[in-house]
Amino acid sequence: MKIKTNRLTLLAALFALAFGLQSCEQKQKEETKEIEKEVIVEPEKPEYFLLRPEVEKAYGYSHALKIGNSIKISGAVSMDDNGNPIAVGDIEQQMKNCYADLEKILKHFGCTFDDVVKEDIFTTDMAQMLEKSAYRAEIYKNGFPTGSWLEVKGLALPEFMVEIELEVHKSE
């Protein structure tokens, strides 16, 4: 009789353990399904911005593109709204004109120069660029972004002496 009772007790314990494990597995599967549902991300649609639509269409580019929290801004040069070079021969004024255009684009996306993470500068005269670069401290008051400065043989038009492109991270 004692052996039968022990066997019944053992059988009842095994049944309870199996039922408990099955219940835990079911709960874990449900939690996994919930987590999987949360991980699904909708594809982000790019948002294009044209600063000078006619000029940009003629040259075949968009001045800026935002996807998620990232914004890529094509190189800004010193030009008027018709695409004509301005401040010819004056690298400092060309640089200021570039930053003025870049600021318009940043504002469109609700950003400032504090959101810039990368700045690449292309110039046809590195010596002059270095001489006039102190102006950048007025733009980047809270620290300079990463980036590169490159001296190039030429830019899109021979009158352009500087071109500045940016990468931006917009915090939410």
Side-chain angles (χ1 to χ4, degrees):
M1 186 76 156
K2 196 173 183 179
I3 293 174
K4 234 181 191 181
T5 305
N6 285 342
R7 282 186 184 168
L8 284 175
T9 304
L10 181 61
L11 198 54
L14 286 175
F15 179 72
L17 183 62
F19 181 74
L21 287 175
Q22 185 178 12
S23 174
C24 286
E25 280 182 18
Q26 184 64 28
K27 187 175 181 181
Q28 188 176 14
K29 284 180 185 177
E30 288 171 11
E31 287 174 0
T32 301
K33 284 181 183 177
E34 274 185 41
I35 291 171
E36 286 174 357
K37 286 178 188 174
E38 291 173 16
V39 172
I40 296 171
V41 176
E42 291 293 319
E44 299 180 47
K45 294 180 181 170
E47 178 186 341
Y48 294 89
F49 176 75
L50 303 178
L51 183 62
R52 294 181 179 91
E54 295 304 316
V55 174
E56 292 162 33
K57 286 177 186 174
Y59 282 98
Y61 72 100
S62 296
H63 215 110
L65 172 65
K66 178 180 183 281
I67 299 177
N69 293 344
S70 295
I71 304 165
K72 308 287 185 188
I73 302 175
S74 295
V77 292
S78 182
M79 70 168 69
D80 64 17
D81 288 338
N82 297 318
N84 301 310
I86 53 176
V88 176
D90 184 348
I91 197 167
E92 184 174 24
Q93 188 58 51
Q94 284 195 19
M95 183 174 42
K96 289 178 180 182
N97 294 343
C98 291
Y99 284 117
D101 281 354
L102 292 167
E103 185 174 31
K104 291 174 191 173
I105 297 166
L106 291 170
K107 281 184 179 179
H108 170 79
F109 290 110
C111 298
T112 68
F113 283 102
D114 290 337
D115 299 304
V116 174
V117 295
K118 187 170 193 265
E119 173 195 68
D120 291 327
I121 299 177
F122 304 89
T123 182
T124 57
D125 189 337
M126 186 62 74
Q128 271 196 76
M129 185 65 203
L130 291 170
E131 188 179 305
K132 306 295 182 179
S133 66
Y135 175 73
R136 294 176 66 248
E138 294 178 35
I139 300 297
Y140 297 107
K141 293 178 172 78
N142 295 319
F144 294 105
T146 66
S148 300
W149 288 21
L150 301 166
E151 184 172 65
V152 296
K153 184 177 178 179
L155 295 167
L157 296 175
E159 295 87 355
F160 295 144
M161 301 173 75
V162 64
E163 182 171 333
I164 304 170
E165 63 183 36
L166 304 177
E167 291 185 25
V168 180
H169 179 77
K170 180 178 169 67
S171 300
E172 296 290 333

